[in-house]
């Protein structure tokens, strides 16, 4: 396929938001083993919860499809998405997934966030690094975040 | 060159005490020639966050499973995996991991398929080592490759296939999944991703004994008296029984296989690794829903063993 075809095949507006595109490039530039190390860096970067959620774990929603307890909470402020997540230290893979989703969606408009392809987790080179089964946990996390964003936006 | 067995009194009551080591024993024997410590976790990154000094990592998905066919890796690949980790056929292997050694037991079971002689579990696994404040390191060990001749995998002794289960009816089956998976209200463990089974329920006549019952609160294995109460009194197993255990993909039932065979001494225990993801999607195999085991149908065909 020529480059021109590739461009014409792309859906208008199907381009990934910059943060997610950059995360994708960063992973795909690495060999499989180094992708695990990068995932670990994301895991370590998952920020602590804002105090108002740390004090109220009941406000967070557990993603039951994930292998380890991971909780996410999205807010929509002025049409922009804020996403908070927490997962235990002994589940670094899940923390890494949550960190990617949080960094990738945070600050997007509702429309941009909802347009993120559901199969994004399968496109960043992690399937072979962590296994197809494990990547489903990240797909579930993205799906849950988008559902929350849809609900929050509809409630406004 | 096998490393000495842990003489801990707790283990002496088990059928195969040589299959377990305590955290104390391991701390004393780290670095001993002939011993390789292997970490096998559910979480693929946990080893990278810190591990027992000198230990090597083995992942059940990316290392032990064939990437294309639903099966374990070939004997050639297995030999490479062990060679790369500095393991020779006479090496003593101690495996430990997260989640009550769930995935460590799975690795041990796969090592058994390939006939590795001396492979043990760290009683209590990662959690106990951590709770006791023992050493962790971020350093990857420098491993000199060892000579590991290509082994012969024997699937006839500790592994059951679907046809073996159909031929097994009338003998005990243990379903080690959660009660919700057993009774058919769901097809995956609570809080686990959907692995794909079209129907829910259990294999007729299987007793439901969730795998985690075999572990105490600190992750160590329960005593023989406690295990007897669970598996003999509770699930009706009797000495001499030929038992097949299953779960969803064969990982949790590896843990139960270890308990029944190595701790309680049942000679003929097989793990049906196809488990519910195969049975629950297979055409015209019998299924029972609800909390009762249901009647065993007539056995079909002849087991491969």
């Amino acid at each position: 396929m020529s480059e021109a075809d590739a461009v014409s095949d792309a859906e208008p507006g199907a381009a990934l938001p910059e943060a997610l595109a950059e995360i994708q490039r960063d992973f795909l530039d690495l060999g499989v083993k180094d992708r695990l190390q990068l995932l670990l860096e994301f895991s370590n970067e998952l920020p602590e919860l804002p105090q108002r959620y740390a004090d109220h774990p009941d406000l967070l929603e557990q993603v039951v499809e994930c292998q380890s307890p991971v909780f996410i909470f999205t807010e929509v402020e002025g049409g922009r998405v804020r996403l908070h997540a927490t997962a235990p230290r002994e589940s670094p893979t899940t923390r890494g997934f949550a960190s990617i989703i949080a960094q990738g969606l945070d600050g997007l408009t509702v429309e941009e966030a909802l347009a993120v392809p559901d199969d994004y987790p399968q496109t960043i080179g992690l399937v072979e690094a962590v296994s197809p089964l494990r990547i489903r946990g990240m797909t579930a996390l993205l799906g849950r975040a988008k559902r929350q964003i849809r609900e929050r936006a509809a409630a406004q | 060159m096998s490393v000495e067995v842990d003489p801990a009194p707790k283990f002496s009551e088990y059928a195969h005490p040589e299959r377990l080591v305590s955290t104390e024993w391991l701390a004393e024997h780290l670095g001993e020639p002939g011993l390789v410590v292997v970490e096998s976790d559910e979480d693929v990154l946990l080893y990278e966050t810190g591990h027992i000094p000198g230990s090597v990592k083995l992942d059940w998905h990316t290392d032990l499973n064939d990437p294309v066919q639903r099966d374990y890796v070939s004997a050639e690949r297995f030999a490479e995996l062990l060679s790369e980790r500095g393991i020779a056929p006479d090496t003593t292997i101690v495996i430990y991991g997260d989640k009550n050694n769930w995935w460590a037991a799975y690795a041990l079971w796969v090592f058994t398929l390939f006939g590795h002689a001396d492979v043990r579990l760290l009683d209590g696994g990662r959690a106990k080592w951590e709770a006791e404040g023992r050493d962790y390191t971020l350093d990857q060990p420098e491993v000199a490759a060892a000579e590991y001749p290509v082994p012969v995998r024997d699937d006839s002794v500790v592994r059951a296939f679907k046809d073996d289960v159909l031929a097994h009816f009338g003998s005990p089956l243990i379903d080690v999944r959660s009660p919700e998976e057993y009774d058919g209200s769901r097809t995956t463990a609570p809080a686990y991703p959907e692995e794909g089974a079209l129907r829910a329920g259990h294999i007729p006549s299987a007793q439901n004994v969730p795998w985690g019952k075999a572990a105490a609160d600190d992750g160590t294995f329960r005593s023989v008296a406690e295990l007897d109460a669970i598996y003999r009194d509770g699930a009706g197993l009797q000495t001499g029984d030929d038992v097949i255990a299953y779960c969803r993909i064969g990982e949790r039932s590896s843990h139960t296989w270890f308990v029944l065979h190595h701790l309680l001494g049942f000679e003929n225990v097989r793990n049906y690794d196809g488990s519910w993801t195969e049975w629950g999607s297979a055409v015209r195999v019998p299924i029972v829903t609800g909390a009762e085991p249901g009647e065993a149908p007539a056995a079909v065909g002849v087991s491969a063993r």
Side-chain angles (χ1 to χ4, degrees):
Chain A
M1 181 163 54
S2 73
E3 203 170 312
D5 287 336
V7 171
S8 63
D9 278 349
E11 294 280 327
L16 283 172
E18 183 47 33
L20 286 170
E22 191 180 329
I23 291 169
Q24 185 182 53
R25 276 195 304 275
D26 288 347
F27 273 107
L28 293 177
D29 280 349
L30 297 171
V32 171
K33 275 205 156 173
D34 291 332
R35 288 177 199 167
L36 276 184
Q37 280 304 322
L38 182 56
L39 184 61
L40 184 60
E41 285 172 31
F42 274 101
S43 175
N44 292 333
E45 285 169 12
L46 185 68
E48 293 294 321
L49 286 179
Q51 203 56 41
R52 62 188 184 283
Y53 293 125
D55 294 342
H56 286 282
D58 50 301
L59 291 176
L60 296 159
E61 183 175 341
Q62 182 166 13
V63 181
V64 293
E65 295 89 344
C66 258
Q67 300 208 6
S68 303
V70 53
F71 296 85
I72 58 167
F73 194 86
T74 56
E75 298 167 312
V76 174
E77 284 173 7
R80 298 221 169 240
V81 170
R82 306 240 57 121
L83 196 150
H84 309 288
T86 182
R89 288 268 158 209
E90 61 270 22
S91 301
T93 302
T94 302
R95 285 178 64 85
F97 291 164
S99 178
I100 290 171
I101 299 293
Q103 291 188 30
L105 298 188
D106 200 58
L108 296 183
T109 65
V110 169
E111 293 70 28
E112 287 168 339
L114 294 180
V116 171
D118 293 333
D119 67 350
Y120 174 77
Q122 279 120 64
T123 66
I124 58 176
L126 279 176
V127 172
E128 50 186 331
V130 303
S131 85
L133 180 62
R134 286 177 173 128
I135 214 72
R136 289 186 199 179
M138 186 162 157
T139 307
L141 200 55
L142 175 61
R144 182 63 57 100
K146 286 172 68 172
R147 183 181 59 66
Q148 283 191 6
I149 293 165
R150 210 172 283 125
E151 287 171 2
R152 306 272 185 271
Q156 286 183 348
Chain B
M1 176 185 49
S2 192
V3 176
E4 66 144 346
V5 167
D6 184 346
K10 180 199 165 184
F11 302 151
S12 63
E13 61 168 15
Y14 294 134
H16 296 281
E18 74 280 5
R19 293 294 178 170
L20 286 174
V21 303
S22 60
T23 49
E24 294 81 11
W25 182 95
L26 186 60
E28 284 166 19
H29 288 77
L30 281 182
E32 200 162 302
L35 172 70
V36 173
V37 182
V38 173
E39 175 159 345
S40 173
D41 295 317
E42 176 184 330
D43 193 298
V44 68
L45 279 178
L46 201 51
Y47 173 89
E48 280 79 1
T49 66
H51 48 264
I52 296 179
S55 64
V56 294
K57 171 185 175 180
L58 191 87
D59 186 66
W60 61 282
H61 265 308
T62 57
D63 290 323
L64 293 179
N65 275 280
D66 185 276
V68 179
Q69 188 170 322
R70 182 172 174 190
D71 199 356
Y72 301 102
V73 290
S74 66
E76 288 76 13
R77 180 66 196 133
F78 184 79
E80 279 172 18
L81 281 171
L82 268 60
S83 164
E84 290 163 5
R85 286 162 180 74
I87 297 169
D90 63 351
T91 299
T92 295
I93 303 174
V94 170
I95 313 182
Y96 74 101
D98 59 356
K99 307 268 165 96
N100 293 342
N101 275 332
W102 173 350
W103 310 93
Y106 185 58
L108 185 144
W109 178 77
V110 175
F111 280 32
T112 305
L113 285 180
F114 286 100
H116 191 90
D118 187 0
V119 52
R120 316 176 188 179
L121 284 184
L122 173 65
D123 195 28
R126 212 183 136 96
K128 187 156 191 280
W129 185 271
E130 208 163 283
E132 292 169 350
R134 296 183 186 275
D135 281 353
Y136 268 143
T137 183
L138 292 173
D139 297 339
Q140 304 271 348
E142 283 186 26
V143 178
E147 194 70 35
Y148 205 99
V150 175
V152 176
R153 193 176 83 197
D154 184 351
D155 287 339
S156 70
V157 179
V158 298
R159 188 179 190 191
F161 296 95
K162 179 170 132 273
D163 286 348
D164 298 326
V165 177
L166 289 166
H168 181 82
F169 282 129
S171 293
L173 282 156
I174 303 289
D175 182 323
V176 314
R177 298 173 302 158
S178 60
E180 295 78 13
E181 294 167 273
Y182 179 83
D183 69 23
S185 45
R186 54 182 304 152
T187 57
T188 60
Y192 274 74
E194 176 60 66
E195 276 154 351
L198 294 173
R199 297 301 167 103
H202 57 267
I203 301 177
S205 78
Q207 293 283 334
N208 185 209
V209 186
W211 70 284
K213 284 191 174 181
D217 291 341
D218 65 354
T220 58
F221 288 105
R222 292 190 183 280
S223 67
V224 166
E226 291 169 319
L227 294 173
D228 275 343
I230 295 167
Y231 294 100
R232 291 181 196 269
D233 306 343
L237 294 186
Q238 295 176 2
T239 302
D241 274 346
D242 184 348
V243 188
I244 293 179
Y246 72 94
C247 56
R248 180 183 45 142
I249 54 172
E251 13 62 285
R252 285 173 285 179
S253 43
S254 298
H255 190 272
T256 298
W257 167 83
F258 184 89
V259 170
L260 293 178
H261 181 59
H262 286 311
L263 304 188
L264 290 182
F266 287 89
E267 287 302 319
N268 299 309
V269 186
R270 285 175 289 170
N271 178 26
Y272 168 39
D273 59 276
S275 279
W276 197 257
T277 50
E278 178 179 48
W279 196 273
S281 294
V283 177
R284 289 180 79 177
V285 296
I287 290 175
V288 171
T289 55
E292 294 303 319
E295 293 295 316
V300 183
V302 179
S303 171
R305 71 183 297 156

